[in-house]
Amino acid sequence: IMRPLAAVAAMQLARAAAYELCVGQDVGSILNYTKVFGPPPCVMAYASIDNLTAALWTGTAYGSGLEHASKTLDAMPPSTDIQLGLWLVGAEARLASGALDGAVEE
């Protein structure tokens, strides 16, 4: 028996009630999900350690859509959590040396 996608998703969410669902990753995808299923308890955004301001506050695109953590959170209820995927490739030595402490504090 074929079931509508929303029914299948609702069943899966009920089974995973003990877990917090994080929906990501770009603003458009998260807002589209929210229109169909309602706001998720958690949203995910990706950012590069070398460009945190853009991904967190002003928006940037890495090829999969607009990453804009604050805009996404502004569209969600205040109780919404955020999970941040942080790209560190090529920055490991600078991170370990403390050269990126200011970016991490952001």
Side-chain angles (χ1 to χ4, degrees), residues 11-94:
M11 287 185 338
Q12 294 299 325
L13 286 175
R15 289 182 187 147
Y19 300 94
E20 182 170 87
L21 174 70
C22 268
V23 175
Q25 69 193 22
D26 62 276
V27 175
S29 296
I30 294 169
L31 295 179
N32 286 337
Y33 174 93
T34 301
K35 286 179 191 174
V36 176
F37 299 106
C42 177
V43 294
M44 178 152 191
Y46 289 91
S48 166
I49 191 72
D50 290 316
N51 196 14
L52 276 176
T53 297
L56 297 177
W57 309 111
T58 61
T60 191
Y62 298 115
S64 61
L66 180 65
E67 297 290 339
H68 196 307
S70 62
K71 181 177 183 175
T72 303
L73 283 176
D74 286 346
M76 299 292 137
S79 60
T80 304
D81 294 324
I82 186 162
Q83 178 181 6
L84 184 63
L86 192 54
W87 178 261
L88 300 173
V89 174
E92 300 90 346
R94 290 180 291 136

